Amino acid sequence: MNNKVNTSVYSQSGFTSATAVSAAANYIMNSPEPFTHTYRTYVRLRENGSLTLKFWHSNAVDSTWDLGAESAASEPGGEWSIEAAYVADGGAVPDGTVVPGSQVPVTFGGEASRNVAPGEQFWSDEALLELPEGHYLAFTWTLKTAAAGKSIPFNVEGMLVSGYDAPGNLAAQETAEAFSESDKLQVLPSFLGYKKNVTKKLVFLGDSITQGVRTAKDEYSYWAARIAEGLGTEYGLWNIGSGWGRAYDVATDGAWVHKAQQGDEVLIVLGVNDLDIGQRSGAELLADLTHIISAIKKARPETAVILSTVPPFNFEGEREAYWRKVNETILTNPPAGVDRVFDIAAVLSVPAPADHRIRPEYMSDEFDPHPNGTAGKAVADAFLEWYGKQL
């Protein structure tokens, strides 16, 4: 096994994101003993056909989970290894199998396996795959930890894509034997790319609302996926939304902000978790947003930054007051470096004076203000109309 020199995502200029699925990490595996395990995930790509694929990975946690007792933003992953990895035709139904004979090995510097160091970022080699229209990409890899304790960052939020996992080294197996359907266990490379020259590369930076949490599995009904579909494949779109994510996570200047710095244009939709579980004041949230925007502009001054208002999340009392102050500031006097403002709150909110509340028909259920698939369509339609006028 060998380790390549770290390279940024943007340095691979001929590749763009192949999917609207977010593979951001908000948790980290923590086992009392070393383990070897295989993960198979089914992803709908933005284009099928003859594909040249390439993957980039960041061995670090992006956003804090809950209050940070288990995982915190910018925490490096442990030492582990990729024992084997494959891309395959996952068929039209994500059932744990792959189409026989379709597995293509994914290599790293010409090697089938690779050691991964804490916090490391690295690329795979190119992999060529023929994927029929209407079929899923199946990405399978076997990962082995070097020791007990914390090891592999992953996403623990509600699964938006079908995934299966099994103990042992089963990456080369085509059947679903020994695999079980994964529950809150999305283990993917950070960036699934394909060779494609695009007009513009967009990065969507946000929390679970951007990730699409609480929308239906395999339906791609959240607004980031619908926007990707509406823009068409001449525009690249990398979704780095992460459940429980907050602005102060990005402002730690770790792996997550590095991802955000890769776009020609970056849409930022953050603040709900800062005001909620993070208990930040409006001034603190605005300071963190200002820091993020400055970091993006410093890395690539030509990057256009779109700052969104904070979505309504049924805040009350002091939290509502902060929410109103932050959104008023974003709309009337946004932080330095903001090129445009998108008012997502105007799409999702009930009419004033109760506009701090999300429309009931947009809620995931009667108690959960996460936007559902209907809300995803409303936001995407509004964004696409607004964005088209800006071009």
Side-chain angles (χ1 to χ4, degrees):
M1 301 183 188
N2 65 331
N3 288 345
K4 296 188 339 186
V5 175
N6 292 352
T7 56
S8 73
V9 184
Y10 195 78
S11 69
Q12 305 292 322
S13 57
F15 286 78
T16 193
S17 177
T19 181
V21 172
S22 173
N26 59 13
Y27 213 74
I28 190 167
M29 296 182 191
N30 191 352
S31 174
E33 57 188 27
F35 63 86
T36 300
H37 209 85
T38 301
Y39 307 90
R40 175 169 289 164
T41 310
Y42 294 81
V43 180
R44 184 187 300 170
L45 301 188
R46 298 193 65 203
E47 287 192 82
N48 287 21
S50 297
L51 302 169
T52 301
L53 300 165
K54 198 168 188 179
F55 308 100
W56 175 87
H57 194 61
S58 168
N59 184 25
V61 177
D62 292 310
S63 67
T64 301
W65 177 260
D66 199 2
L67 292 174
E70 298 297 330
S71 60
S74 302
E75 179 179 359
E79 291 187 25
W80 47 278
S81 61
I82 301 169
E83 297 297 288
Y86 294 88
V87 289
D89 178 355
V93 178
D95 60 2
T97 69
V98 301
V99 172
S102 69
Q103 292 258 63
V104 175
V106 176
T107 59
F108 306 87
E111 301 291 335
S113 56
R114 191 189 197 285
N115 290 327
V116 180
E120 187 180 9
Q121 299 172 357
F122 60 93
W123 280 93
S124 74
D125 301 323
E126 294 181 4
L128 307 180
L129 179 69
E130 188 70 32
L131 190 63
E133 290 297 326
H135 284 209
Y136 289 90
L137 170 78
F139 182 89
T140 311
W141 56 353
T142 295
L143 307 181
K144 180 179 180 180
T145 60
K150 291 188 175 184
S151 56
I152 303 163
F154 69 103
N155 197 284
V156 75
E157 269 286 12
M159 296 284 286
L160 292 172
V161 295
S162 290
Y164 295 80
D165 62 276
N169 189 340
L170 301 181
Q173 181 179 295
E174 296 177 334
T175 70
E177 185 180 355
F179 280 90
S180 300
E181 190 166 6
S182 303
D183 180 33
K184 298 183 178 181
L185 187 66
Q186 181 180 290
V187 187
L188 280 172
S190 304
F191 176 84
L192 287 72
Y194 75 126
K195 186 171 284 186
K196 172 79 173 181
N197 289 318
V198 293
T199 301
K200 190 179 292 184
K201 292 181 178 180
L202 283 69
V203 174
F204 283 9
L205 170 64
D207 52 35
S208 58
I209 294 172
T210 301
Q211 184 182 347
V213 169
R214 305 292 186 271
T215 60
K217 183 185 289 188
D218 297 321
E219 287 195 8
Y220 295 72
S221 60
Y222 45 96
W223 57 263
R226 291 182 184 271
I227 289 172
E229 184 177 3
L231 287 174
T233 56
E234 292 307 305
Y235 287 81
L237 193 150
W238 188 18
N239 183 357
I240 57 172
S242 184
W244 281 113
R246 51 214 86 168
Y248 65 77
D249 289 337
V250 192
T252 58
D253 295 330
W256 207 13
V257 78
H258 172 72
K259 295 177 181 180
Q261 290 166 336
Q262 308 308 315
D264 300 318
E265 202 159 59
V266 180
L267 171 64
I268 302 172
V269 190
L270 287 166
V272 164
N273 293 315
D274 297 80
L275 298 177
D276 187 15
I277 193 168
Q279 294 292 296
R280 305 288 268 186
S281 69
E284 288 172 320
L285 171 54
L286 287 167
D288 287 331
L289 291 171
T290 300
H291 179 96
I292 295 164
I293 294 158
S294 175
I296 291 170
K297 290 287 191 175
K298 184 177 180 181
R300 296 186 70 232
E302 68 274 22
T303 295
V305 173
I306 302 171
L307 180 61
S308 170
T309 50
V310 181
F313 214 70
N314 298 352
F315 293 120
E316 301 287 351
E318 184 182 52
R319 300 295 111 190
E320 177 193 342
Y322 289 149
W323 177 86
R324 291 187 180 280
K325 179 59 178 177
V326 169
N327 279 354
E328 178 188 10
T329 302
I330 289 173
L331 289 169
T332 62
N333 185 29
V338 172
D339 294 277
R340 287 176 283 168
V341 170
F342 175 64
D343 193 0
I344 194 173
V347 181
L348 296 174
S349 294
V350 303
D355 47 331
H356 61 293
R357 303 191 67 83
I358 185 172
R359 292 176 180 268
E361 66 269 26
Y362 290 163
M363 291 175 61
S364 296
D365 62 40
E366 61 179 315
F367 305 109
D368 188 346
H370 278 88
N372 58 24
T374 303
K377 183 179 187 307
V379 171
D381 288 348
F383 180 89
L384 290 166
E385 181 181 3
W386 171 86
Y387 190 78
K389 293 176 180 178
Q390 313 296 311
L391 298 178

